[in-house]
Amino acid sequence: MQQDLNNVSVVQDEELDIRSIIFKYLSYWRWFIVSIVFFTIVGFVYLKRQNNIYENNVIVLLKDENTATEEMLLLQDLGMSAGKNNIENEIALFKSPDLITKAVTSLELYTTYRKVTRWSFNDNELYGNAPLYIRWEDMEPKKIPAPVTFTFTPQGKGFEVSGQYENMPFHGRIDTLPVYLKLPMGRFYVSRNNEIDPAYKQEPYTFEATISNPSALARRLSAELKVTPSAKQSSVLTLSIQSEIKKKGRDFLQQLVNFYNEDATNDKNMVAHNTAVFIEERIKEISVELGTVEKQVEDFRQQKQITDIQAEAQLYLGQTGQNEQKRVEIETQLNLTRFVEDFIARPANANKLIPNLGVTDAGLVSVINEYNQLLLMKERLESSSSDSNPALIQMKQQVSGMRQSIQASLANVRRASEIALRDLN
């Protein structure tokens, strides 16, 4: 019985302790109310200062012109998986600062316009809808040394211009448009924007314009741009980026894809040019060989007093038939193989595309095409990154390995042709 009374006493003490704690903190109710109001205001101000962010996406289908052959399987056995590396290389190209800089420069995204509001609430970007257009004259965008910010404040029929450049303030005034604004850091062209969306046409307001180096902006966009394959080993890539203005994000992604396709077209034109050069060199060699052969034929006719060499040739070809035709085909392939071998062996051609015109071996043609595409990708990465770039280092190793594989394949094809030719002879 005594034990039960002790338990009841403990429960009553606990209830009293809890009650006393509650009453103790209720005495500070004013501070609780002040804190709730304060943090509500802070949250409201924070949200009002934040701009909406939109996700923009575009899907790209990579055309794969190569098919899996025995040579490709051999490369995979050597640790050079063509399919996977191609996807990784294309992703690296899309994120290349050089490619992104082209898109940024063509759309003039390096110049941003923002409406200035009281207390800096919702300073939304005015993409394509700013009252004025400004451009740095006599200065290539990629050579802009540091960002320059302008503030345009309406004054009567004109604008008061103020801002700073490298912590140096400047002031000016615009009364007529268009005008060339001369400032300490250079000359700027300012004109009225006549392509404003009707929704943005309102009473004059203060806005800012910032001109920065497109290469610096491209590096930031390269980090923000997401390029992911839709599935493992898939040739479909999804490009996505976040932006305050939907149209700006869409325009950037579309322009990026356009320049990517343009570079791919230029690569094909380069291949066609190298093929044309190869044909021209080969024609010159054949012309010299034909001139020598014709001279030998003329000497032979004079010595043997043959008057109708065409009839003799037809008789000879009729006797040899298909065997002779095969021999000519093998000789042609053998000469082409030797010519390509000689082309690769020249140090001056170490970074040139390998011609494969006339080569009939499907495996060899596929490997050469794969090598040429990889070499073009390497050159594009070299123009936009440093030698210490891990992707570039890996690509150089792939190029070197594939070149050695092509030399080995050419040697095998040449030996096989020589054996076949000896058998026919």
PDB file of all heavy atoms in Angstrom, residues 297-332:
ATOM      1  N   VAL A 297      54.415   0.784-124.280  1.00  0.00           N
ATOM      2  CA  VAL A 297      53.589   0.155-125.326  1.00  0.00           C
ATOM      3  C   VAL A 297      54.035   0.613-126.710  1.00  0.00           C
ATOM      4  O   VAL A 297      54.131  -0.188-127.655  1.00  0.00           O
ATOM      5  CB  VAL A 297      52.102   0.499-125.094  1.00  0.00           C
ATOM      6  CG1 VAL A 297      51.268   0.082-126.300  1.00  0.00           C
ATOM      7  CG2 VAL A 297      51.600  -0.189-123.837  1.00  0.00           C
ATOM      8  N   GLU A 298      54.330   1.893-126.827  1.00  0.00           N
ATOM      9  CA  GLU A 298      54.774   2.406-128.130  1.00  0.00           C
ATOM     10  C   GLU A 298      56.094   1.766-128.542  1.00  0.00           C
ATOM     11  O   GLU A 298      56.275   1.371-129.713  1.00  0.00           O
ATOM     12  CB  GLU A 298      54.926   3.927-128.025  1.00  0.00           C
ATOM     13  CG  GLU A 298      55.293   4.619-129.339  1.00  0.00           C
ATOM     14  CD  GLU A 298      54.199   4.502-130.371  1.00  0.00           C
ATOM     15  OE1 GLU A 298      53.018   4.325-129.995  1.00  0.00           O
ATOM     16  OE2 GLU A 298      54.526   4.572-131.580  1.00  0.00           O
ATOM     17  N   ASP A 299      57.033   1.653-127.589  1.00  0.00           N
ATOM     18  CA  ASP A 299      58.308   1.003-127.901  1.00  0.00           C
ATOM     19  C   ASP A 299      58.094  -0.459-128.278  1.00  0.00           C
ATOM     20  O   ASP A 299      58.734  -0.980-129.216  1.00  0.00           O
ATOM     21  CB  ASP A 299      59.260   1.101-126.699  1.00  0.00           C
ATOM     22  CG  ASP A 299      59.656   2.540-126.406  1.00  0.00           C
ATOM     23  OD1 ASP A 299      59.515   3.397-127.310  1.00  0.00           O
ATOM     24  OD2 ASP A 299      60.074   2.806-125.257  1.00  0.00           O
ATOM     25  N   PHE A 300      57.202  -1.138-127.566  1.00  0.00           N
ATOM     26  CA  PHE A 300      56.929  -2.550-127.853  1.00  0.00           C
ATOM     27  C   PHE A 300      56.333  -2.712-129.258  1.00  0.00           C
ATOM     28  O   PHE A 300      56.694  -3.639-129.998  1.00  0.00           O
ATOM     29  CB  PHE A 300      55.965  -3.094-126.796  1.00  0.00           C
ATOM     30  CG  PHE A 300      55.598  -4.528-127.001  1.00  0.00           C
ATOM     31  CD1 PHE A 300      56.481  -5.543-126.644  1.00  0.00           C
ATOM     32  CD2 PHE A 300      54.382  -4.887-127.582  1.00  0.00           C
ATOM     33  CE1 PHE A 300      56.143  -6.874-126.828  1.00  0.00           C
ATOM     34  CE2 PHE A 300      54.048  -6.204-127.769  1.00  0.00           C
ATOM     35  CZ  PHE A 300      54.925  -7.217-127.395  1.00  0.00           C
ATOM     36  N   ARG A 301      55.434  -1.836-129.640  1.00  0.00           N
ATOM     37  CA  ARG A 301      54.820  -1.914-130.976  1.00  0.00           C
ATOM     38  C   ARG A 301      55.870  -1.715-132.073  1.00  0.00           C
ATOM     39  O   ARG A 301      55.841  -2.379-133.120  1.00  0.00           O
ATOM     40  CB  ARG A 301      53.716  -0.870-131.103  1.00  0.00           C
ATOM     41  CG  ARG A 301      52.484  -1.162-130.245  1.00  0.00           C
ATOM     42  CD  ARG A 301      51.457  -0.055-130.329  1.00  0.00           C
ATOM     43  NE  ARG A 301      50.990   0.116-131.712  1.00  0.00           N
ATOM     44  CZ  ARG A 301      50.141   1.064-132.099  1.00  0.00           C
ATOM     45  NH1 ARG A 301      49.703   1.952-131.216  1.00  0.00           N
ATOM     46  NH2 ARG A 301      49.754   1.146-133.347  1.00  0.00           N
ATOM     47  N   GLN A 302      56.772  -0.775-131.824  1.00  0.00           N
ATOM     48  CA  GLN A 302      57.796  -0.532-132.845  1.00  0.00           C
ATOM     49  C   GLN A 302      58.747  -1.717-132.964  1.00  0.00           C
ATOM     50  O   GLN A 302      59.154  -2.091-134.071  1.00  0.00           O
ATOM     51  CB  GLN A 302      58.575   0.738-132.494  1.00  0.00           C
ATOM     52  CG  GLN A 302      57.738   2.021-132.620  1.00  0.00           C
ATOM     53  CD  GLN A 302      58.517   3.251-132.203  1.00  0.00           C
ATOM     54  OE1 GLN A 302      59.664   3.138-131.775  1.00  0.00           O
ATOM     55  NE2 GLN A 302      57.911   4.424-132.344  1.00  0.00           N
ATOM     56  N   GLN A 303      59.102  -2.332-131.806  1.00  0.00           N
ATOM     57  CA  GLN A 303      60.034  -3.460-131.859  1.00  0.00           C
ATOM     58  C   GLN A 303      59.398  -4.685-132.499  1.00  0.00           C
ATOM     59  O   GLN A 303      60.019  -5.389-133.300  1.00  0.00           O
ATOM     60  CB  GLN A 303      60.515  -3.806-130.452  1.00  0.00           C
ATOM     61  CG  GLN A 303      61.383  -2.714-129.810  1.00  0.00           C
ATOM     62  CD  GLN A 303      61.725  -3.035-128.372  1.00  0.00           C
ATOM     63  OE1 GLN A 303      61.366  -4.093-127.866  1.00  0.00           O
ATOM     64  NE2 GLN A 303      62.448  -2.113-127.708  1.00  0.00           N
ATOM     65  N   LYS A 304      58.152  -4.989-132.153  1.00  0.00           N
ATOM     66  CA  LYS A 304      57.478  -6.192-132.636  1.00  0.00           C
ATOM     67  C   LYS A 304      56.676  -5.960-133.912  1.00  0.00           C
ATOM     68  O   LYS A 304      56.089  -6.916-134.463  1.00  0.00           O
ATOM     69  CB  LYS A 304      56.544  -6.746-131.554  1.00  0.00           C
ATOM     70  CG  LYS A 304      57.250  -7.059-130.236  1.00  0.00           C
ATOM     71  CD  LYS A 304      58.306  -8.124-130.410  1.00  0.00           C
ATOM     72  CE  LYS A 304      58.980  -8.462-129.077  1.00  0.00           C
ATOM     73  NZ  LYS A 304      60.006  -9.515-129.215  1.00  0.00           N
ATOM     74  N   GLN A 305      56.661  -4.684-134.359  1.00  0.00           N
ATOM     75  CA  GLN A 305      55.935  -4.336-135.589  1.00  0.00           C
ATOM     76  C   GLN A 305      54.467  -4.782-135.507  1.00  0.00           C
ATOM     77  O   GLN A 305      53.909  -5.391-136.419  1.00  0.00           O
ATOM     78  CB  GLN A 305      56.607  -4.968-136.811  1.00  0.00           C
ATOM     79  CG  GLN A 305      58.013  -4.450-137.039  1.00  0.00           C
ATOM     80  CD  GLN A 305      58.652  -5.048-138.268  1.00  0.00           C
ATOM     81  OE1 GLN A 305      58.088  -5.975-138.892  1.00  0.00           O
ATOM     82  NE2 GLN A 305      59.818  -4.546-138.647  1.00  0.00           N
ATOM     83  N   ILE A 306      53.845  -4.474-134.347  1.00  0.00           N
ATOM     84  CA  ILE A 306      52.426  -4.782-134.149  1.00  0.00           C
ATOM     85  C   ILE A 306      51.620  -3.570-134.591  1.00  0.00           C
ATOM     86  O   ILE A 306      51.845  -2.452-134.131  1.00  0.00           O
ATOM     87  CB  ILE A 306      52.148  -5.102-132.678  1.00  0.00           C
ATOM     88  CG1 ILE A 306      52.928  -6.344-132.264  1.00  0.00           C
ATOM     89  CG2 ILE A 306      50.652  -5.295-132.433  1.00  0.00           C
ATOM     90  CD1 ILE A 306      52.808  -6.666-130.791  1.00  0.00           C
ATOM     91  N   THR A 307      50.675  -3.788-135.486  1.00  0.00           N
ATOM     92  CA  THR A 307      49.878  -2.690-136.029  1.00  0.00           C
ATOM     93  C   THR A 307      48.518  -2.560-135.334  1.00  0.00           C
ATOM     94  O   THR A 307      47.953  -1.474-135.269  1.00  0.00           O
ATOM     95  CB  THR A 307      49.650  -2.887-137.535  1.00  0.00           C
ATOM     96  OG1 THR A 307      49.010  -4.161-137.731  1.00  0.00           O
ATOM     97  CG2 THR A 307      50.970  -2.860-138.272  1.00  0.00           C
ATOM     98  N   ASP A 308      47.981  -3.669-134.827  1.00  0.00           N
ATOM     99  CA  ASP A 308      46.656  -3.616-134.205  1.00  0.00           C
ATOM    100  C   ASP A 308      46.762  -4.160-132.784  1.00  0.00           C
ATOM    101  O   ASP A 308      46.413  -5.317-132.514  1.00  0.00           O
ATOM    102  CB  ASP A 308      45.644  -4.424-135.029  1.00  0.00           C
ATOM    103  CG  ASP A 308      44.211  -4.159-134.570  1.00  0.00           C
ATOM    104  OD1 ASP A 308      44.041  -3.378-133.594  1.00  0.00           O
ATOM    105  OD2 ASP A 308      43.268  -4.709-135.166  1.00  0.00           O
ATOM    106  N   ILE A 309      47.260  -3.308-131.897  1.00  0.00           N
ATOM    107  CA  ILE A 309      47.439  -3.770-130.514  1.00  0.00           C
ATOM    108  C   ILE A 309      46.115  -3.994-129.814  1.00  0.00           C
ATOM    109  O   ILE A 309      45.993  -4.789-128.892  1.00  0.00           O
ATOM    110  CB  ILE A 309      48.291  -2.753-129.739  1.00  0.00           C
ATOM    111  CG1 ILE A 309      48.765  -3.384-128.423  1.00  0.00           C
ATOM    112  CG2 ILE A 309      47.513  -1.472-129.454  1.00  0.00           C
ATOM    113  CD1 ILE A 309      49.796  -2.556-127.718  1.00  0.00           C
ATOM    114  N   GLN A 310      45.030  -3.305-130.281  1.00  0.00           N
ATOM    115  CA  GLN A 310      43.720  -3.478-129.651  1.00  0.00           C
ATOM    116  C   GLN A 310      43.202  -4.895-129.863  1.00  0.00           C
ATOM    117  O   GLN A 310      42.652  -5.515-128.950  1.00  0.00           O
ATOM    118  CB  GLN A 310      42.734  -2.455-130.225  1.00  0.00           C
ATOM    119  CG  GLN A 310      41.353  -2.514-129.568  1.00  0.00           C
ATOM    120  CD  GLN A 310      40.432  -1.445-130.088  1.00  0.00           C
ATOM    121  OE1 GLN A 310      40.822  -0.674-130.960  1.00  0.00           O
ATOM    122  NE2 GLN A 310      39.219  -1.397-129.579  1.00  0.00           N
ATOM    123  N   ALA A 311      43.399  -5.411-131.085  1.00  0.00           N
ATOM    124  CA  ALA A 311      42.946  -6.777-131.358  1.00  0.00           C
ATOM    125  C   ALA A 311      43.738  -7.778-130.526  1.00  0.00           C
ATOM    126  O   ALA A 311      43.198  -8.759-130.018  1.00  0.00           O
ATOM    127  CB  ALA A 311      43.099  -7.085-132.852  1.00  0.00           C
ATOM    128  N   GLU A 312      45.053  -7.528-130.398  1.00  0.00           N
ATOM    129  CA  GLU A 312      45.883  -8.410-129.592  1.00  0.00           C
ATOM    130  C   GLU A 312      45.422  -8.388-128.125  1.00  0.00           C
ATOM    131  O   GLU A 312      45.375  -9.430-127.463  1.00  0.00           O
ATOM    132  CB  GLU A 312      47.351  -7.966-129.679  1.00  0.00           C
ATOM    133  CG  GLU A 312      47.948  -8.070-131.081  1.00  0.00           C
ATOM    134  CD  GLU A 312      48.156  -9.517-131.498  1.00  0.00           C
ATOM    135  OE1 GLU A 312      48.211 -10.375-130.595  1.00  0.00           O
ATOM    136  OE2 GLU A 312      48.236  -9.777-132.703  1.00  0.00           O
ATOM    137  N   ALA A 313      45.084  -7.196-127.643  1.00  0.00           N
ATOM    138  CA  ALA A 313      44.644  -7.082-126.256  1.00  0.00           C
ATOM    139  C   ALA A 313      43.327  -7.812-126.042  1.00  0.00           C
ATOM    140  O   ALA A 313      43.132  -8.485-125.024  1.00  0.00           O
ATOM    141  CB  ALA A 313      44.504  -5.612-125.865  1.00  0.00           C
ATOM    142  N   GLN A 314      42.393  -7.664-126.980  1.00  0.00           N
ATOM    143  CA  GLN A 314      41.104  -8.342-126.856  1.00  0.00           C
ATOM    144  C   GLN A 314      41.276  -9.860-126.859  1.00  0.00           C
ATOM    145  O   GLN A 314      40.620 -10.567-126.093  1.00  0.00           O
ATOM    146  CB  GLN A 314      40.174  -7.922-127.995  1.00  0.00           C
ATOM    147  CG  GLN A 314      39.667  -6.484-127.874  1.00  0.00           C
ATOM    148  CD  GLN A 314      38.789  -6.094-129.035  1.00  0.00           C
ATOM    149  OE1 GLN A 314      38.674  -6.844-130.013  1.00  0.00           O
ATOM    150  NE2 GLN A 314      38.177  -4.926-128.951  1.00  0.00           N
ATOM    151  N   LEU A 315      42.186 -10.337-127.698  1.00  0.00           N
ATOM    152  CA  LEU A 315      42.450 -11.769-127.741  1.00  0.00           C
ATOM    153  C   LEU A 315      43.029 -12.249-126.410  1.00  0.00           C
ATOM    154  O   LEU A 315      42.642 -13.294-125.883  1.00  0.00           O
ATOM    155  CB  LEU A 315      43.421 -12.084-128.890  1.00  0.00           C
ATOM    156  CG  LEU A 315      43.832 -13.562-129.038  1.00  0.00           C
ATOM    157  CD1 LEU A 315      42.603 -14.436-129.313  1.00  0.00           C
ATOM    158  CD2 LEU A 315      44.862 -13.719-130.150  1.00  0.00           C
ATOM    159  N   TYR A 316      43.939 -11.443-125.869  1.00  0.00           N
ATOM    160  CA  TYR A 316      44.569 -11.822-124.594  1.00  0.00           C
ATOM    161  C   TYR A 316      43.558 -11.830-123.451  1.00  0.00           C
ATOM    162  O   TYR A 316      43.505 -12.762-122.649  1.00  0.00           O
ATOM    163  CB  TYR A 316      45.698 -10.839-124.286  1.00  0.00           C
ATOM    164  CG  TYR A 316      46.335 -11.060-122.942  1.00  0.00           C
ATOM    165  CD1 TYR A 316      47.193 -12.140-122.721  1.00  0.00           C
ATOM    166  CD2 TYR A 316      46.073 -10.188-121.875  1.00  0.00           C
ATOM    167  CE1 TYR A 316      47.760 -12.342-121.482  1.00  0.00           C
ATOM    168  CE2 TYR A 316      46.642 -10.388-120.642  1.00  0.00           C
ATOM    169  CZ  TYR A 316      47.495 -11.475-120.456  1.00  0.00           C
ATOM    170  OH  TYR A 316      48.062 -11.667-119.220  1.00  0.00           O
ATOM    171  N   LEU A 317      42.696 -10.802-123.403  1.00  0.00           N
ATOM    172  CA  LEU A 317      41.685 -10.729-122.344  1.00  0.00           C
ATOM    173  C   LEU A 317      40.661 -11.841-122.487  1.00  0.00           C
ATOM    174  O   LEU A 317      40.149 -12.363-121.495  1.00  0.00           O
ATOM    175  CB  LEU A 317      40.982  -9.360-122.378  1.00  0.00           C
ATOM    176  CG  LEU A 317      41.815  -8.156-121.932  1.00  0.00           C
ATOM    177  CD1 LEU A 317      41.048  -6.868-122.122  1.00  0.00           C
ATOM    178  CD2 LEU A 317      42.228  -8.320-120.482  1.00  0.00           C
ATOM    179  N   GLY A 318      40.345 -12.206-123.692  1.00  0.00           N
ATOM    180  CA  GLY A 318      39.400 -13.298-123.899  1.00  0.00           C
ATOM    181  C   GLY A 318      39.948 -14.616-123.384  1.00  0.00           C
ATOM    182  O   GLY A 318      39.195 -15.470-122.918  1.00  0.00           O
ATOM    183  N   GLN A 319      41.256 -14.787-123.459  1.00  0.00           N
ATOM    184  CA  GLN A 319      41.866 -16.028-122.990  1.00  0.00           C
ATOM    185  C   GLN A 319      41.958 -16.073-121.457  1.00  0.00           C
ATOM    186  O   GLN A 319      41.788 -17.118-120.840  1.00  0.00           O
ATOM    187  CB  GLN A 319      43.269 -16.173-123.597  1.00  0.00           C
ATOM    188  CG  GLN A 319      43.245 -16.394-125.111  1.00  0.00           C
ATOM    189  CD  GLN A 319      44.643 -16.386-125.703  1.00  0.00           C
ATOM    190  OE1 GLN A 319      45.580 -15.982-125.045  1.00  0.00           O
ATOM    191  NE2 GLN A 319      44.780 -16.824-126.948  1.00  0.00           N
ATOM    192  N   THR A 320      42.279 -14.956-120.871  1.00  0.00           N
ATOM    193  CA  THR A 320      42.436 -14.949-119.417  1.00  0.00           C
ATOM    194  C   THR A 320      41.104 -14.921-118.683  1.00  0.00           C
ATOM    195  O   THR A 320      40.981 -15.513-117.603  1.00  0.00           O
ATOM    196  CB  THR A 320      43.286 -13.736-118.990  1.00  0.00           C
ATOM    197  OG1 THR A 320      42.663 -12.544-119.480  1.00  0.00           O
ATOM    198  CG2 THR A 320      44.682 -13.840-119.547  1.00  0.00           C
ATOM    199  N   GLY A 321      40.087 -14.190-119.190  1.00  0.00           N
ATOM    200  CA  GLY A 321      38.740 -14.201-118.624  1.00  0.00           C
ATOM    201  C   GLY A 321      38.681 -13.675-117.200  1.00  0.00           C
ATOM    202  O   GLY A 321      39.311 -12.671-116.838  1.00  0.00           O
ATOM    203  N   GLN A 322      37.909 -14.391-116.387  1.00  0.00           N
ATOM    204  CA  GLN A 322      37.642 -13.938-115.023  1.00  0.00           C
ATOM    205  C   GLN A 322      38.902 -13.930-114.155  1.00  0.00           C
ATOM    206  O   GLN A 322      39.040 -13.111-113.249  1.00  0.00           O
ATOM    207  CB  GLN A 322      36.602 -14.854-114.379  1.00  0.00           C
ATOM    208  CG  GLN A 322      35.235 -14.781-115.023  1.00  0.00           C
ATOM    209  CD  GLN A 322      34.237 -15.676-114.321  1.00  0.00           C
ATOM    210  OE1 GLN A 322      34.611 -16.464-113.444  1.00  0.00           O
ATOM    211  NE2 GLN A 322      32.967 -15.572-114.714  1.00  0.00           N
ATOM    212  N   ASN A 323      39.815 -14.816-114.433  1.00  0.00           N
ATOM    213  CA  ASN A 323      41.050 -14.863-113.641  1.00  0.00           C
ATOM    214  C   ASN A 323      41.816 -13.546-113.745  1.00  0.00           C
ATOM    215  O   ASN A 323      42.305 -13.009-112.743  1.00  0.00           O
ATOM    216  CB  ASN A 323      41.909 -16.031-114.116  1.00  0.00           C
ATOM    217  CG  ASN A 323      43.099 -16.265-113.187  1.00  0.00           C
ATOM    218  OD1 ASN A 323      42.928 -16.360-111.987  1.00  0.00           O
ATOM    219  ND2 ASN A 323      44.278 -16.345-113.770  1.00  0.00           N
ATOM    220  N   GLU A 324      41.881 -13.009-114.941  1.00  0.00           N
ATOM    221  CA  GLU A 324      42.589 -11.742-115.148  1.00  0.00           C
ATOM    222  C   GLU A 324      41.850 -10.595-114.479  1.00  0.00           C
ATOM    223  O   GLU A 324      42.463  -9.685-113.908  1.00  0.00           O
ATOM    224  CB  GLU A 324      42.738 -11.477-116.648  1.00  0.00           C
ATOM    225  CG  GLU A 324      43.402 -10.151-117.001  1.00  0.00           C
ATOM    226  CD  GLU A 324      44.824 -10.070-116.491  1.00  0.00           C
ATOM    227  OE1 GLU A 324      45.416 -11.132-116.177  1.00  0.00           O
ATOM    228  OE2 GLU A 324      45.358  -8.950-116.410  1.00  0.00           O
ATOM    229  N   GLN A 325      40.511 -10.628-114.547  1.00  0.00           N
ATOM    230  CA  GLN A 325      39.717  -9.576-113.914  1.00  0.00           C
ATOM    231  C   GLN A 325      39.944  -9.544-112.405  1.00  0.00           C
ATOM    232  O   GLN A 325      40.109  -8.478-111.809  1.00  0.00           O
ATOM    233  CB  GLN A 325      38.231  -9.788-114.212  1.00  0.00           C
ATOM    234  CG  GLN A 325      37.340  -8.685-113.651  1.00  0.00           C
ATOM    235  CD  GLN A 325      35.883  -8.908-113.997  1.00  0.00           C
ATOM    236  OE1 GLN A 325      35.550  -9.858-114.705  1.00  0.00           O
ATOM    237  NE2 GLN A 325      35.030  -8.037-113.497  1.00  0.00           N
ATOM    238  N   LYS A 326      39.975 -10.717-111.791  1.00  0.00           N
ATOM    239  CA  LYS A 326      40.241 -10.788-110.362  1.00  0.00           C
ATOM    240  C   LYS A 326      41.637 -10.272-110.032  1.00  0.00           C
ATOM    241  O   LYS A 326      41.858  -9.597-109.028  1.00  0.00           O
ATOM    242  CB  LYS A 326      40.092 -12.219-109.867  1.00  0.00           C
ATOM    243  CG  LYS A 326      38.648 -12.722-109.864  1.00  0.00           C
ATOM    244  CD  LYS A 326      38.584 -14.140-109.331  1.00  0.00           C
ATOM    245  CE  LYS A 326      37.155 -14.656-109.310  1.00  0.00           C
ATOM    246  NZ  LYS A 326      37.061 -16.046-108.811  1.00  0.00           N
ATOM    247  N   ARG A 327      42.582 -10.615-110.895  1.00  0.00           N
ATOM    248  CA  ARG A 327      43.957 -10.165-110.650  1.00  0.00           C
ATOM    249  C   ARG A 327      44.047  -8.638-110.682  1.00  0.00           C
ATOM    250  O   ARG A 327      44.718  -8.026-109.836  1.00  0.00           O
ATOM    251  CB  ARG A 327      44.893 -10.771-111.703  1.00  0.00           C
ATOM    252  CG  ARG A 327      46.380 -10.540-111.406  1.00  0.00           C
ATOM    253  CD  ARG A 327      47.244 -11.166-112.499  1.00  0.00           C
ATOM    254  NE  ARG A 327      47.061 -10.479-113.769  1.00  0.00           N
ATOM    255  CZ  ARG A 327      47.693  -9.330-114.078  1.00  0.00           C
ATOM    256  NH1 ARG A 327      48.520  -8.776-113.208  1.00  0.00           N
ATOM    257  NH2 ARG A 327      47.490  -8.749-115.235  1.00  0.00           N
ATOM    258  N   VAL A 328      43.347  -8.025-111.632  1.00  0.00           N
ATOM    259  CA  VAL A 328      43.362  -6.558-111.726  1.00  0.00           C
ATOM    260  C   VAL A 328      42.723  -5.938-110.492  1.00  0.00           C
ATOM    261  O   VAL A 328      43.226  -4.941-109.939  1.00  0.00           O
ATOM    262  CB  VAL A 328      42.629  -6.112-113.006  1.00  0.00           C
ATOM    263  CG1 VAL A 328      42.473  -4.584-113.017  1.00  0.00           C
ATOM    264  CG2 VAL A 328      43.401  -6.550-114.246  1.00  0.00           C
ATOM    265  N   GLU A 329      41.621  -6.526-110.044  1.00  0.00           N
ATOM    266  CA  GLU A 329      40.951  -5.995-108.857  1.00  0.00           C
ATOM    267  C   GLU A 329      41.850  -6.087-107.626  1.00  0.00           C
ATOM    268  O   GLU A 329      41.943  -5.145-106.833  1.00  0.00           O
ATOM    269  CB  GLU A 329      39.651  -6.756-108.606  1.00  0.00           C
ATOM    270  CG  GLU A 329      38.571  -6.491-109.654  1.00  0.00           C
ATOM    271  CD  GLU A 329      37.332  -7.337-109.416  1.00  0.00           C
ATOM    272  OE1 GLU A 329      37.371  -8.175-108.488  1.00  0.00           O
ATOM    273  OE2 GLU A 329      36.342  -7.165-110.149  1.00  0.00           O
ATOM    274  N   ILE A 330      42.523  -7.211-107.483  1.00  0.00           N
ATOM    275  CA  ILE A 330      43.403  -7.382-106.326  1.00  0.00           C
ATOM    276  C   ILE A 330      44.583  -6.427-106.412  1.00  0.00           C
ATOM    277  O   ILE A 330      45.013  -5.844-105.404  1.00  0.00           O
ATOM    278  CB  ILE A 330      43.878  -8.846-106.234  1.00  0.00           C
ATOM    279  CG1 ILE A 330      42.700  -9.768-105.910  1.00  0.00           C
ATOM    280  CG2 ILE A 330      44.955  -8.998-105.165  1.00  0.00           C
ATOM    281  CD1 ILE A 330      43.054 -11.240-105.917  1.00  0.00           C
ATOM    282  N   GLU A 331      45.131  -6.257-107.611  1.00  0.00           N
ATOM    283  CA  GLU A 331      46.238  -5.313-107.779  1.00  0.00           C
ATOM    284  C   GLU A 331      45.797  -3.893-107.417  1.00  0.00           C
ATOM    285  O   GLU A 331      46.550  -3.136-106.780  1.00  0.00           O
ATOM    286  CB  GLU A 331      46.753  -5.360-109.215  1.00  0.00           C
ATOM    287  CG  GLU A 331      47.645  -6.554-109.514  1.00  0.00           C
ATOM    288  CD  GLU A 331      48.225  -6.479-110.919  1.00  0.00           C
ATOM    289  OE1 GLU A 331      47.676  -5.714-111.748  1.00  0.00           O
ATOM    290  OE2 GLU A 331      49.210  -7.169-111.177  1.00  0.00           O
ATOM    291  N   THR A 332      44.590  -3.538-107.840  1.00  0.00           N
ATOM    292  CA  THR A 332      44.082  -2.195-107.513  1.00  0.00           C
ATOM    293  C   THR A 332      43.958  -2.016-106.010  1.00  0.00           C
ATOM    294  O   THR A 332      44.387  -0.997-105.447  1.00  0.00           O
ATOM    295  CB  THR A 332      42.714  -1.972-108.177  1.00  0.00           C
ATOM    296  OG1 THR A 332      42.846  -2.129-109.587  1.00  0.00           O
ATOM    297  CG2 THR A 332      42.194  -0.566-107.871  1.00  0.00           C
TER     298      THR A 332
END
